[in-house]
Structure formats: structure tokens, C-alpha cells
Amino acid sequence: MELNCRVINKQTHSISSLKHIYENDLAGTVITTRDGQTKASFDRTLESELTLIRDRLQRGNYRFTSYQEKLILKGPSSLPRRISIPTTRDRIALKAIQYELSSYFPEAKTELPQTKIQNLRKVLKSDKYDSFIRLDIENFFPSISHKFIHQQLVSRRIPHRLIRPVMAALETPTLPKYEPNAGFSNRQGIPQGICIASQIAELCMIPIDSTIKNNESYYFDRYVDDVIVFCAESEVKTISENYSNFLIPIGIKVHPFETDSKSAFGKLDQPFDYLGYSIRSRGKREAIVLAKDSSLRRFERRLAKLFTQYTYSRPFEGNFAYFGLKWRLKLVTNGCFFDGQKRGWLHYFSQMTSASQAHRLDGIIDKFTSDLKLPALRQVSFRDMYWNIRNKSTRGNLICDFSNLSRDEMQEILHKVFRRNSTTLDFLSDDSLRALFQTVLRKEIAELETDVSPVS
């Protein structure tokens, strides 16, 4: 085991591996944070920065700069979500730590929501259960006990050389950009936004999930802080109480069963929500699975916003406004490949069992198009795309793929959609142009992804 540890350490912490992380994993996402370093200044000292990261990780004494705070609003009745943004140097170190941790507990990788819904549909069709329990864990990431995390890392026989920087990353405080460094450490919770956050949280939940799942009298599944159980009505209270008790050592708890609570229970012939879907069992028949109303309305507002932006920009931008609207509508309708994954509303809700909501979205676009007297905007409708995804068809390569665009194609999109100066673009090198394109595209897709995020 010790030999394997050394081999893994050399592979993930070598200068070449760290440089690969910087040039690939961090591509198009480098920003200036609390250390004040721009991408240009970091590039100038890249070799010395990578050497520093390697040496400190290998010695196990890496220390992190306080994270930059970003607050994401969740609604008028909820506190904002606090996101922790590490410096560029720390992001490289954290990614190297993530890769090494994966070799010790590969099972900590979270299943895709679509896979979980697909499995859930099969279980419902078996008609073995009559009730559901929907549990939502309160304040999941900020509440997890550091003591419990440390115990789990030690129990996995992870070397102290690796445990020390992991705990240092968890203890690093998160502060507004210009606030002086704090004289305290974070003593509880996992900072959301660092790449090892989900990995460490899953490490803590694995023993509990394994214990709970080791019972054939009910079906259990969890995605981050959302839990679903199918069982007999007589077991609802016992299972809920047992699960709550299992969470105590971790420092977390579930929302109680109250009016308007995120936790709920009921009979399976009643609709229930899970991972952004609304689901209703029909016994041995296929369950009815749709995007829940709030997810659909949020996406409808996104579509309306695109046409509103077009209306206001048309007098000033003319054909460019139409080109931008058409490009964005194709992106939201067809989805895209990005970072090795399929992105987009229909791709997230690929487990829907009806095309009714796709028809509804097409109706919205048709009405806006008619009201504004626009020529045809799309070659593919939401309905077409729904069936294309449902049947796993590759007809026409309908999904957008930006990985092999030519320089001219990227330059056209940057100029006509994102309104970058064409003369400035002409002077950029191929690598600089692609980096810029990746940056603006990532931001566009991130905005699109907010419509489907399942994490509460």
C-alpha cells in the first residue's frame, strides 16, 4: 500500500501533472481572486508556482489563501448560498488532491441525476411499495463535522501527508474580496465551491448510505442532500427516525415534516418531487415523470428573457440581435456538449415520460416569434429534440458541439453574439481566441444550467 501511495503521489503531484491541470481542468476559468493575481501574472511565474505546489503537497504542509466569498441568492425566504472561490494556485493544488483522493475511495463519485431517476422508475414499476418518504438535509455542506471527516479519512488509511492539506482546505475561511485576512479558522462544514467539496461530503455519507441500503424491505436513494425512500406505509415513521439518528454523528439533520417543509411523506399514487422532477407512480404501469412546475416556469422565464433582450437590442444592433437570438435559442433547445457532458434543459430532464412540456415550450417560442413577426428561428423544436434524446438518436447530430469550431466560426460567434470587437479578435493568436471563446461560452452555459440545478 505504501508503494502505491508513493506512485500515486508522484503521478498527481509532478510538475507535468500540475501543468496539465492548469492548462486543461482550469482552462477558461482563471479569474483574479483575493491574492490579486491575474492570469497573465500567474503565467509569468507558472513554473515557480507549480514547483511550490508540488513541494508543499509532497511534504503535506500546503496552506491555502482565504477563499473569496460569492453569495448566490436562493429566493426571498432563504439565506443566500455562500460559495468559496480559491486562488488559481489553490485550485491547482485542490484538483491534484481530488485526483489522489479518488484513488482511495472511487465510490465517492456521485451518480448522475438522470441515472437515479431511471433507476427510480424501474423500482416504481415493480409495484412493491405503497408509500414514499422525501427527506431534505438542512444546511448540508456547512454543517458537516470536521471531526467526523478526519475520522473517515483515517479509517480509509489515507496518509497523513494527504490528510493534512485536506483538513487545511476545509479550515480555510471564506471572506469578501477586500476584507483583511481573518485570524480564525473554519471549524465546521465544507466550503462550497472547492472541487473536493462533493467528494468529502460523499465520503461522510457512504457508511450511512451502506447501512440504510442493507435492508430489502424498502428502497433508498440519495443525491447530495435529497433523500428518497419507498416503503410500506407502516414503516414511514421508523425509517425517518432511524435515518435522522444516523446523521447525528456527522453534525447534520433533516428538515422536519411540517407544512411547506422540503421533507414530506405520502402514498405513491400522489405526486412527489425529486431532483427537479415531479413523479407519480401508477403501479405496474410506467410512472408519470415530468419536470416539476417550478423548474418549467423558471425555464419559460429564461425563454421570455431572450426575446425581451432581443426587443431592446434590435434598434441598436439590427441583424446582430437576430443572429444572437437565433444562436441562443438553438443552444437552449438543442443543448450542447461541454466539459465532456451533455448540458441543457431537455438533457437534464431526459427521463420525462411525456412530450407535453416540450410542446408547451414550443408554443411559447411560436407565440413570441409570431408576435414579433420574426422569420423562422429554429430548425429543431423542443418536441423534435425530446424524441431525439428519448430514442437516443444520433440523427443529424442535433446537439451543439463547440469543440471543433474553426477560428472563423469562433470569431463570428464572439463578434455577432457576444459583441466583441472584430479588429481586436483579428489580432488574437489561435490559442488566445479559443481561450476567450471557452470563457464566454462557459459563462453562457453556467447561466443556462441554473434552470436545472437539483441541489436545494
Side-chain angles (χ1 to χ4, degrees):
M1 181 69 175
E2 187 60 35
L3 175 61
N4 288 339
C5 289
R6 285 197 292 266
V7 171
I8 293 165
N9 180 22
K10 287 181 179 179
Q11 288 175 341
T12 58
H13 299 168
S14 67
I15 295 295
S16 60
S17 295
L18 296 173
K19 191 172 184 179
H20 181 84
I21 288 171
Y22 178 63
E23 293 178 346
N24 294 273
D25 294 287
L26 272 63
T29 66
V30 176
I31 61 171
T32 304
T33 56
R34 283 181 56 82
D35 64 352
Q37 274 205 318
T38 64
K39 184 180 186 303
S41 63
F42 192 85
D43 286 343
R44 286 195 294 271
T45 58
L46 180 61
E47 292 301 321
S48 62
E49 294 282 6
L50 298 182
T51 301
L52 183 149
I53 295 169
R54 180 200 62 189
D55 293 347
R56 290 185 179 179
L57 286 178
Q58 289 181 347
R59 291 195 300 264
N61 65 350
Y62 191 93
R63 288 293 178 266
F64 296 84
T65 303
S66 53
Y67 305 129
Q68 181 172 307
E69 179 183 72
K70 179 180 180 181
L71 299 178
I72 298 179
L73 298 178
K74 297 167 61 178
S77 59
S78 301
L79 291 173
R81 179 177 289 126
R82 192 188 200 196
I83 301 299
S84 303
I85 305 175
T87 65
T88 301
R89 179 203 296 160
D90 289 349
R91 288 181 65 198
I92 297 171
L94 285 164
K95 200 68 183 178
I97 291 170
Q98 181 187 33
Y99 283 138
E100 187 171 0
L101 284 174
S102 298
S103 65
Y104 291 97
F105 42 95
E107 71 274 26
K109 186 176 181 180
T110 306
E111 261 187 333
L112 291 173
Q114 294 88 341
T115 303
K116 289 186 173 291
I117 297 297
Q118 186 176 40
N119 294 338
L120 181 147
R121 287 169 56 190
K122 293 176 183 177
V123 173
L124 287 175
K125 203 171 182 179
S126 71
D127 200 24
K128 291 173 60 177
Y129 312 103
D130 63 15
S131 298
F132 73 87
I133 309 170
R134 163 83 159 76
L135 300 173
D136 186 89
I137 301 174
E138 288 187 46
N139 221 18
F140 181 54
F141 287 98
S143 302
I144 296 176
S145 161
H146 283 191
K147 180 180 178 181
F148 189 84
I149 294 171
H150 190 271
Q151 290 172 347
Q152 294 303 305
L153 292 169
V154 171
S155 71
R156 293 286 183 136
R157 297 185 178 181
I158 294 173
H160 288 288
R161 165 196 57 74
L162 182 55
I163 292 177
R164 284 194 296 270
V166 169
M167 297 309 298
L170 302 181
E171 293 168 1
T172 299
T174 300
L175 302 169
K177 187 170 184 178
Y178 298 109
E179 187 170 311
N181 284 328
F184 62 88
S185 297
N186 180 36
R187 294 300 179 187
Q188 179 177 310
I190 301 173
Q192 295 183 72
I194 65 173
C195 65
I196 63 171
S198 295
Q199 195 177 29
I200 297 299
E202 288 300 307
L203 170 67
C204 294
M205 299 300 290
I206 285 170
I208 294 174
D209 290 354
S210 299
T211 302
I212 290 285
K213 285 181 177 179
N214 192 26
N215 191 319
E216 295 183 358
S217 68
Y218 55 80
Y219 171 82
F220 170 92
D221 192 38
R222 179 186 60 82
Y223 183 84
V224 191
D225 57 355
D226 282 339
V227 173
I228 193 74
V229 180
F230 299 149
C231 61
E233 186 176 16
S234 59
E235 293 185 289
V236 168
K237 183 178 180 181
T238 301
I239 293 171
S240 302
E241 290 177 349
N242 287 346
Y243 189 70
S244 294
N245 290 334
F246 279 130
L247 298 179
I248 291 173
I250 307 180
I252 55 181
K253 59 183 181 179
V254 299
H255 283 97
F257 294 126
E258 297 173 348
T259 304
D260 296 327
S261 172
K262 293 181 179 180
S263 295
F265 64 90
K267 302 290 284 184
L268 275 174
D269 58 0
Q270 303 170 2
F272 63 91
D273 295 342
Y274 187 51
L275 304 185
Y277 285 83
S278 175
I279 303 162
R280 183 166 68 84
S281 174
R282 296 194 296 172
K284 293 187 180 296
R285 298 166 64 196
E286 180 69 71
I288 297 173
V289 180
L290 295 168
K292 69 179 185 179
D293 286 344
S294 59
S295 301
L296 182 62
R297 288 196 300 271
R298 195 159 56 237
F299 190 60
E300 289 172 344
R301 288 195 294 271
R302 172 78 63 199
L303 295 177
K305 183 180 177 182
L306 293 180
F307 283 95
T308 301
Q309 288 174 334
Y310 166 77
T311 302
Y312 281 106
S313 62
R314 180 172 55 179
F316 310 102
E317 298 184 0
N319 290 335
F320 286 157
Y322 177 76
F323 184 94
L325 174 64
K326 190 172 182 178
W327 184 87
R328 287 190 168 95
L329 276 178
K330 182 178 180 180
L331 179 63
V332 299
T333 304
N334 297 33
C336 66
F337 283 114
F338 195 73
D339 286 346
Q341 293 183 351
K342 292 178 181 178
R343 308 294 183 96
W345 196 86
L346 276 178
H347 291 283
Y348 181 84
F349 291 108
S350 61
Q351 292 301 309
M352 292 190 301
T353 55
S354 166
S356 60
Q357 291 177 325
H359 279 277
R360 176 169 158 175
L361 294 172
D362 284 330
I364 290 172
I365 290 182
D366 290 344
K367 186 175 189 313
F368 274 115
T369 303
S370 174
D371 289 348
L372 294 171
K373 296 180 173 55
L374 291 168
L377 285 164
R378 301 177 301 162
Q379 294 179 327
V380 177
S381 66
F382 280 106
R383 184 186 63 254
D384 293 336
M385 202 66 205
Y386 169 82
W387 288 112
N388 184 272
I389 295 169
R390 184 76 185 269
N391 297 328
K392 297 181 179 178
S393 171
T394 58
R395 178 180 63 85
N397 296 320
L398 299 182
I399 187 169
C400 302
D401 188 352
F402 300 108
S403 58
N404 295 313
L405 294 184
S406 67
R407 179 187 175 97
D408 287 345
E409 288 170 325
M410 288 189 290
Q411 197 160 335
E412 181 182 37
I413 293 170
L414 286 168
H415 178 52
K416 292 185 177 180
V417 178
F418 298 102
R419 309 301 293 121
R420 299 302 174 103
N421 184 278
S422 58
T423 304
T424 303
L425 296 175
D426 286 337
F427 283 102
L428 292 179
S429 67
D430 289 349
D431 288 344
S432 296
L433 184 76
R434 185 165 293 279
L436 174 62
F437 182 76
Q438 286 290 106
T439 299
V440 297
L441 184 62
R442 186 180 298 276
K443 185 177 180 181
E444 188 79 17
I445 292 170
E447 190 173 342
L448 179 66
E449 293 284 87
T450 60
D451 297 319
V452 299
S453 176
V455 182
S456 58

